[in-house]
Amino acid sequence: MFVDKLDQCLVMEENDLKSTLTEFSQNRIIPLYIEKGILNYIFQKNGISFMSNGRLDDLLIHLPDEVTDKIIHDVKAMFFSGGKINYKNFYESYLFYYFEANIFKVWKPLLDIQLSNLLKNELIILDIGTGPGSIPVGIIEYYKLLSSRYPDIDFSIVIDIIEAEEDFIKIAEHMVSEVIDPSITNLDIVLRKRVNQVLDYEFDYTILDTYDLITMSNFLTVNERENVAKGSEILKKLSDHLKEDGAIVVIEPGDTENGKLMKDIRNTISDGTNINVFAPCTGVWDQKKTYNCNCYSPTRAYWEIPRLHRFLYNKGLSKAGREQLPFQYIVYRLDGFTKYNIIKNRQHYIQLKDLHKYINMKVNVKANIRSVIERKFSNQWAVLLCDGSCTFEKRNSEIKTVIKDDFLGEIGLTLPIIAGERITLKNVLVKSTNYGFELEVTKESIINIEY
Ligand SMILES: C[S@@+](CC[C@H](N)C(=O)[O-])C[C@H]1O[C@@H](n2cnc3c(N)ncnc32)[C@H](O)[C@@H]1O
């Protein structure tokens, strides 16, 4: 990999794709220093002395039962009212449980940008509703990986944050300082502006810089209705503070209701503004300028259940046992770039909207992967598809293919399929099923995945 002298973007070379994607074929592991950093903060807040060189299990023994019970109670209660959250009672519980769960989600949009050779080695970022610093820490961890893999490249990240809650700003400062590693000499990290304000219509946007990356995670959710109501307006205003070659990353929970809210906002802003969708929902055959769909298309982050979650699980919090973290995301840009180019030559391919004309016939299709569901017990992957020609709101409108692990091995596809990649399926049999259409892969089928 090298840095393009003209636009300061990281350009991938021959082996970079494979080594980068290898990171995604393995489960993410939360580093011990992050979990200790979380405990350190919680111990301080509860007046318990913290032994920084102690084993994590030993440290957890010193966590008073009433603190553990409150965390479990809070995690069960926090987001279930459907109403606005008063974080005042929840700072430490959010840190203990949600921080870890949200760190690595930003890796997928970063990967999309990197794979298109649009990620910069020097970034100025703005994170909105930073909470305990989940996204800044996720970005720092991604860049730590890059800086250790490419020691000849100098990396730097300047971070500005906007957060309504002062206590969260303190936690974010603490967590960022816990993950900075002074021994990595080719990565500079500065937490610069901490804006302790509510981002709303009255917000003074003039205090902001222009950014390479503007991020928000779990900011436009069911529990943040006021933000949702102003979502498209906020995104438009923020786009004035995005560099011409910058990106806005929106990450939301992986459920249908929040996905719909996120896509409703996308549909509003992509119509009549200069903001374009870069990933993951872009058309295969036509440049999508306006969007009117809002299907459910979760991406999943796979992880080794972290020690703090396992601790809560053993204490009775069943939701702390999740092995994968579904989420939804959109990357916006201003320069019209999309992760994949539009395909002009339709010869030999059919569009998904026309599948009903080809039942029990073999076809070739190209599509973007909407979602991937692992069927562990049968070693299969159910891959949901969209080429922009159809929508999936109605029941029975699903379009998917089911690929066996063995088949992927046979055709030499050892890299992970995540969601958002472009897939070409040749010679697949169209089957009508009670959930929609299945494109059956046979021995004569050919599969190719572009990353
Ligand atoms: C659900 S938390 C998400 C925290 C973090 N981004 C994550 O994904 O883990 C939402 C955060 O946004 C903050 N927040 C919500 N609305 C805000 C607004 N309009 N302006 C500034 N901060 C806001 C809340 O205080 C809270 O810290």
Side-chain angles (χ1 to χ4, degrees):
M1 193 151 72
F2 64 93
V3 180
D4 187 300
K5 291 222 163 46
L6 201 66
D7 60 13
Q8 270 72 53
C9 287
L10 296 162
V11 180
M12 312 252 289
E13 295 180 286
E14 207 181 331
N15 293 321
D16 294 326
L17 174 68
K18 191 149 192 187
S19 63
T20 303
L21 287 171
T22 307
E23 289 304 327
F24 287 81
S25 62
Q26 297 149 3
N27 284 351
R28 302 259 60 76
I29 297 175
I30 302 277
L32 187 60
Y33 52 79
I34 290 188
E35 301 211 273
K36 279 194 166 180
I38 295 169
L39 280 188
N40 188 348
Y41 186 88
I42 288 170
F43 274 41
Q44 273 179 42
K45 276 282 161 189
N46 288 282
I48 311 162
S49 64
F50 183 77
M51 311 267 273
S52 56
N53 52 1
R55 286 178 54 241
L56 200 95
D57 288 344
D58 295 337
L59 290 167
L60 283 168
I61 289 170
H62 290 98
L63 195 67
D65 283 347
E66 58 271 25
V67 176
T68 311
D69 292 346
K70 177 172 174 357
I71 293 170
I72 291 178
H73 173 271
D74 289 351
V75 172
K76 283 182 182 164
M78 212 181 297
F79 292 109
F80 286 93
S81 68
K84 180 150 178 61
I85 307 275
N86 179 358
Y87 287 100
K88 285 191 174 35
N89 300 319
F90 295 138
Y91 302 122
E92 289 152 47
S93 305
Y94 192 94
L95 172 66
F96 199 103
Y97 181 82
Y98 285 102
F99 175 78
E100 294 193 286
N102 290 333
I103 296 174
F104 287 121
K105 294 174 182 172
V106 74
W107 281 35
K108 171 64 172 122
L110 289 178
L111 176 72
D112 285 346
I113 300 171
Q114 188 190 339
L115 294 182
S116 300
N117 293 336
L118 292 169
L119 193 66
K120 296 176 190 170
N121 64 323
E122 295 183 352
L123 277 186
I124 304 184
I125 72 168
L126 172 67
D127 186 44
I128 320 272
T130 207
S134 328
I135 295 303
V137 165
I139 296 174
I140 293 170
E141 289 298 306
Y142 195 90
Y143 271 72
K144 277 162 88 172
L145 207 72
L146 287 176
S147 52
S148 60
R149 186 171 292 145
Y150 303 102
D152 297 335
I153 300 179
D154 286 328
F155 295 88
S156 86
I157 311 175
V158 173
I159 307 162
D160 289 352
I161 56 176
I162 300 177
E163 169 54 55
E165 302 282 338
E166 197 181 355
D167 287 55
F168 266 143
I169 292 187
K170 288 191 186 127
I171 298 179
E173 281 171 346
H174 169 80
M175 289 314 304
V176 167
S177 72
E178 290 282 331
V179 298
I180 291 176
D181 179 351
S183 72
I184 306 178
T185 52
N186 60 330
L187 173 61
D188 265 349
I189 298 159
V190 177
L191 180 54
R192 190 177 61 175
K193 286 187 187 159
R194 300 123 162 109
V195 183
N196 180 201
Q197 277 181 45
V198 174
L199 185 76
D200 55 11
Y201 292 135
E202 280 74 52
F203 184 80
D204 178 11
Y205 285 84
T206 61
I207 62 170
L208 300 179
D209 201 344
T210 51
Y211 298 92
D212 298 294
L213 205 57
I214 298 179
T215 53
M216 56 185 76
S217 148
N218 301 306
F219 177 78
L220 300 172
T221 65
V222 172
N223 303 94
E224 305 285 357
R225 287 267 176 196
E226 286 167 31
N227 297 343
V228 174
K230 298 168 194 157
S232 53
E233 206 50 46
I234 289 176
L235 284 168
K236 275 188 229 160
K237 290 240 189 219
L238 288 172
S239 71
D240 294 338
H241 294 271
L242 188 67
K243 292 187 186 167
E244 276 177 60
D245 60 353
I248 299 179
V249 171
V250 177
I251 298 172
E252 297 303 340
D255 59 76
T256 43
E257 195 178 4
N258 280 304
K260 190 171 176 313
L261 293 177
M262 181 183 80
K263 287 184 178 170
D264 284 345
I265 293 173
R266 174 200 66 185
N267 297 356
T268 309
I269 59 168
S270 56
D271 198 6
T273 71
N274 59 343
I275 305 170
N276 69 281
V277 175
F278 169 79
C281 295
T282 56
V284 173
W285 306 109
D286 294 299
Q287 195 79 48
K288 270 180 95 70
K289 184 57 196 134
T290 54
Y291 288 76
N292 51 19
C293 46
N294 53 21
C295 75
Y296 176 51
S297 51
T299 304
R300 287 174 176 77
Y302 294 89
W303 68 348
E304 297 294 326
I305 300 172
R307 288 148 286 229
L308 297 188
H309 275 229
R310 256 190 278 129
F311 170 76
L312 294 179
Y313 182 80
N314 291 335
K315 296 277 180 185
L317 183 68
S318 57
K319 79 183 245 183
R322 289 190 302 172
E323 289 178 348
Q324 42 166 285
L325 305 160
F327 65 98
Q328 297 169 87
Y329 75 98
I330 299 179
V331 182
Y332 296 102
R333 293 181 70 91
L334 300 174
D335 51 16
F337 284 168
T338 47
K339 185 177 170 201
Y340 296 107
N341 289 331
I342 293 302
I343 312 251
K344 298 232 169 75
N345 181 356
R346 298 181 185 191
Q347 217 181 347
H348 310 304
Y349 289 91
I350 66 140
Q351 292 187 53
L352 297 185
K353 71 175 169 50
D354 295 328
L355 280 180
H356 63 278
K357 299 178 195 162
Y358 295 86
I359 291 166
N360 294 327
M361 292 162 76
K362 289 197 170 172
V363 296
N364 301 334
V365 301
K366 273 184 192 289
N368 291 344
I369 296 175
R370 280 177 54 211
S371 195
V372 180
I373 301 157
E374 187 179 8
R375 294 177 177 168
K376 267 200 173 155
F377 299 109
S378 49
N379 291 327
Q380 290 179 331
W381 300 85
V383 180
L384 307 189
L385 306 173
C386 175
D387 66 355
S389 72
C390 41
T391 57
F392 305 97
E393 272 79 42
K394 287 197 207 116
R395 285 168 68 85
N396 316 334
S397 63
E398 212 57 270
I399 298 172
K400 75 172 164 205
T401 188
V402 178
I403 309 176
K404 289 204 168 99
D405 256 357
D406 299 354
F407 187 88
L408 288 176
E410 274 168 34
I411 60 172
L413 264 178
T414 50
L415 296 171
I417 315 172
I418 309 166
E421 297 83 14
R422 182 166 288 175
I423 189 167
T424 302
L425 296 163
K426 289 187 180 163
N427 229 357
V428 284
L429 188 64
V430 182
K431 293 272 182 187
S432 175
T433 69
N434 49 15
Y435 55 77
F437 295 107
E438 180 164 333
L439 301 172
E440 196 176 288
V441 175
T442 67
K443 283 215 171 327
E444 290 76 44
S445 303
I446 296 173
I447 301 179
N448 181 40
I449 295 176
E450 289 165 66
Y451 286 92

